[in-house]
Amino acid sequence: MVNRNGTSALAGIFLNLIALMLIAVAARAQGPQHPRDREITDADTRAWWHTTEDLSGDAMEGRDTGSAAYQRAADYVAGRFRAAGLQPAAAQGSYFQTVLMHEVSVIPQRTAFTVVRSDGSQTTLTFLQQITIFPTPGMPSQVEAALTFRGYCGKDAMGEIADRIVVCFGTQRAGLPSGSDRVANARAAHAAGLINVDDPYFTIEPPRWPFAYARTVTLRVGTPTEAPHTPALLNMRISAEAFASLIAGSGQDAAAILKAGGARQPLPNFEIPARLRLRVHVAERDISSPNVLGVLPGASQPLSSQYVVVSAHLDGYGYGTPVQGDNLYNGTLDDAAYVALLIQLAGDLRSKTLPAPGRSILFAAFTAEEKGLLGSRWFVSHPTIPLAQLAANVNLDQLRPLFPLKILTAEALSDTTVGETARRIGKDLHIQVRPDAEPERHLLYRADQYPFLMAHVPAISFVFGYDPGTESERRYREWYQVRYHRPQDDLTQPMDFEAAHKFNELFYRLVHAIATSPERPRILAASQFAPRE
């Protein structure tokens, strides 16, 4: 494999490792080498955090998919995999599985969203602060269309909206049209565009502004999904605060509509006496970015021909819209810390701190998770090891060690025998392993375990849990309000390192149990992911 500079992949790894070491030495000469060491009581957790510092420090620039900074991070991970004795697990003896993608991004300069009212007055909506758009290939650069509000945008509400921009209450609540339903209904009715209005009462995972950027990345598999003659549906999102400005003059009470929508009550349909004028400056390009794959061969026959996949996503958001003066989205807990845990597991297995596994272990640091699980989807559709030999996947994402670890919720807990194993190990560590208490967030489908489950590979992932009304819940909610997909998810944030140590121990034990059990994990017959005849 050849990297961007035309050198061999292995040479690129070592060149970048040397550069990173020099950066680290320079940074540590100016301040404490590891400023949080005094908070950490055990050597294994300390080593894990040091790797987290390397992966999510400012030198890694947030590891945005397709960027040179992401490649530096990938080189670092591959170098650490090699140092831990992992064998390359991609094609032609490489640690890198290249994922081909296409990027469509909105350039803020020369992009504007203006509400033009029937009396001629105009209101400008602030891009990435009040309104955003999800760009698509071939999207028109200028559009002006009438606005209409159609409640939850179910099929029965979508009459006579052709060539208009339909405004919908953007609910995530069960029993109401989903985001994909709203898009499909708008497209079927020949709308020019769709604007989802935030649900401010969905406090489980509150809407966040600003957006880092408006950018869509898809797998590059040939022709665009829409034929050139088919107009693209403009898909937008607006903040609850800006909604009142959007519908001004309609005679409708924006606050009352938001409250009713948040309570799942009936919503009115009405015309908005205004048009939305869009001018969008779009750039398109092909990009690529690698998954980093390494394998530790199993120690027992015939188990060694089966593989336990341990995974986490390496990508972050890079540079984006500033929040409190900071525009670098470091992505420390999302998800650098858990790529670091893969590296720590590999090192502990090499040093024999942990027992040798019977089954082989495939270590996967996936790219482009934040762009729609693209790296894991690519791997599952282009496996470097036959899918039939993948015994299970344990995915590390959505983990926030912010408070004492007494409860873990798990995705797909009741779908596979891996869930039963996790419950047993959790009990030994005095951790309750519970099913997801907030299915409205769709976390099962939003992380890299999902493509494995869709391919009928048993998989599991975890979230730090809490009981309602506790201090743990307060800290968890606060993290989502303040840090999720923001620059504040960095190395300075509050951490409970004892909780992190306890989770890391559960992870080690779970992987070891899966890797050594004579019984291969399986998907339970009642699961939605079970193969059907």
Side-chain angles (χ1 to χ4, degrees):
M1 177 177 176
V2 175
N3 68 12
R4 289 186 177 87
N5 297 317
T7 58
S8 70
L10 190 58
I13 291 170
F14 286 116
L15 287 172
N16 279 283
L17 279 174
I18 291 169
L20 288 167
M21 288 171 63
L22 291 173
I23 290 170
V25 168
R28 289 164 186 167
Q30 299 174 20
Q33 183 172 357
H34 297 291
R36 305 193 70 166
D37 275 5
R38 68 187 60 157
E39 301 176 49
I40 308 172
T41 58
D42 69 284
D44 197 74
T45 304
R46 190 176 299 117
W48 161 72
W49 186 251
H50 292 173
T51 302
T52 301
E53 291 174 329
D54 289 343
L55 281 171
S56 66
D58 288 356
M60 286 298 187
E61 300 181 87
R63 311 176 310 282
D64 196 8
T65 297
S67 68
Y70 178 91
Q71 186 63 47
R72 287 201 303 275
D75 289 345
Y76 174 90
V77 173
R80 293 292 300 272
F81 279 2
R82 184 178 186 278
L86 302 187
Q87 298 176 4
Q92 299 176 333
S94 174
Y95 290 100
F96 297 143
Q97 181 188 39
T98 300
V99 180
L100 303 176
M101 292 169 276
H102 185 72
E103 173 193 282
V104 185
S105 56
V106 177
I107 310 302
Q109 295 76 19
R110 291 186 284 154
T111 291
F113 297 78
T114 306
V115 181
V116 182
R117 308 194 189 283
S118 55
D119 64 3
S121 63
Q122 299 183 8
T123 301
T124 298
L125 299 173
T126 306
F127 181 49
L128 299 179
Q129 303 282 343
Q130 295 177 305
I131 193 168
T132 191
I133 190 167
F134 304 96
T136 57
M139 186 176 73
S141 60
Q142 296 187 54
V143 171
E144 185 172 331
L147 292 160
T148 182
F149 184 81
R150 297 303 172 94
Y152 300 109
C153 289
K155 282 185 180 180
D156 57 349
M158 302 294 263
E160 299 181 357
I161 65 167
D163 301 321
R164 300 184 183 187
I165 295 173
V166 60
V167 182
C168 311
F169 186 81
T171 184
Q172 299 183 54
R173 300 172 192 269
L176 294 171
S178 67
S180 58
D181 291 337
R182 294 190 289 271
V183 169
N185 294 342
R187 193 185 303 278
H190 306 291
L194 177 149
I195 302 176
N196 281 300
V197 182
D198 283 347
D199 177 357
Y201 294 92
F202 191 71
T203 57
I204 291 175
E205 190 172 324
R208 283 166 301 280
W209 294 89
F211 257 41
Y213 42 66
R215 179 182 179 195
T216 302
V217 181
T218 54
L219 292 175
R220 195 189 336 150
V221 291
T223 58
T225 56
E226 293 181 307
H229 64 274
T230 303
L233 178 73
L234 301 173
N235 189 358
M236 293 164 278
R237 176 179 162 230
I238 194 170
S239 71
E241 291 77 11
F243 176 57
S245 177
L246 188 73
I247 67 169
S250 66
Q252 298 288 331
D253 185 335
I257 291 171
L258 294 173
K259 185 175 181 180
R264 301 179 56 180
Q265 295 174 356
L267 294 178
N269 299 329
F270 58 89
E271 302 307 313
I272 300 171
R275 302 173 69 82
L276 183 65
R277 179 184 298 157
L278 289 77
R279 186 176 71 249
V280 184
H281 182 197
V282 174
E284 296 192 38
R285 61 174 182 153
D286 286 339
I287 62 173
S288 65
S289 197
N291 294 327
V292 188
L293 307 175
V295 68
L296 179 69
S300 302
Q301 296 290 345
L303 293 181
S304 61
S305 63
Q306 301 174 20
Y307 293 77
V308 180
V309 184
V310 292
S311 59
H313 73 86
L314 181 57
D315 64 304
Y317 275 80
Y319 291 101
T321 308
V323 180
Q324 299 177 7
D326 188 354
N327 71 337
L328 179 54
Y329 291 61
N330 298 80
T332 294
L333 292 184
D334 191 15
D335 193 33
Y338 293 96
V339 175
L341 188 53
L342 299 186
I343 291 170
Q344 190 65 26
L345 172 64
D348 285 347
L349 287 167
R350 178 176 176 81
S351 66
K352 304 192 185 313
T353 304
L354 298 175
R359 291 184 172 87
S360 299
I361 300 180
L362 174 64
F363 292 75
F366 288 127
T367 190
E369 188 272 352
E370 300 290 5
K371 307 302 185 284
L373 318 184
L374 301 186
S376 55
R377 285 171 51 197
W378 184 271
F379 173 80
V380 169
S381 61
H382 302 81
T384 61
I385 293 167
L387 290 179
Q389 293 177 240
L390 303 185
N393 167 237
V394 181
N395 186 52
L396 302 175
D397 194 4
Q398 308 169 38
L399 292 157
R400 322 288 182 225
L402 309 170
F403 44 81
L405 178 54
K406 300 177 182 178
I407 301 166
L408 281 173
T409 60
E411 303 305 325
L413 178 63
S414 300
D415 288 280
T416 79
T417 57
V418 175
E420 299 168 3
T421 305
R423 284 184 194 269
R424 174 176 54 78
I425 292 170
K427 185 177 181 180
D428 292 342
L429 292 170
H430 307 289
I431 301 170
Q432 296 180 42
V433 180
R434 301 175 179 176
D436 187 352
E438 299 172 343
E440 303 97 325
R441 294 173 65 192
H442 306 294
L443 296 180
L444 172 60
Y445 313 105
R446 289 169 50 187
D448 286 322
Q449 73 280 344
Y450 183 59
F452 288 92
L453 288 164
M454 289 297 291
H456 312 304
V457 176
I460 196 167
S461 67
F462 300 95
V463 178
F464 274 55
Y466 43 80
D467 286 320
T470 60
E471 174 64 12
S472 295
E473 180 182 21
R474 187 198 68 77
R475 294 185 191 180
Y476 185 87
R477 303 291 189 207
E478 187 267 350
W479 193 90
Y480 268 89
Q481 290 272 8
V482 174
R483 304 181 192 281
Y484 181 53
H485 288 176
R486 285 188 167 188
Q488 287 69 35
D489 177 17
D490 64 12
L491 291 165
T492 68
Q493 65 189 294
M495 289 279 294
D496 186 323
F497 286 104
E498 181 57 34
H501 168 73
K502 196 172 181 180
F503 175 80
N504 296 356
E505 177 69 16
L506 179 138
F507 172 64
Y508 294 160
R509 292 192 188 190
L510 177 61
V511 173
H512 178 257
I514 298 170
T516 57
S517 173
E519 183 178 354
R520 179 171 174 159
R522 67 185 190 281
I523 294 178
L524 301 177
S527 169
Q528 62 179 306
F529 302 110
R532 306 298 180 197
E533 294 183 0

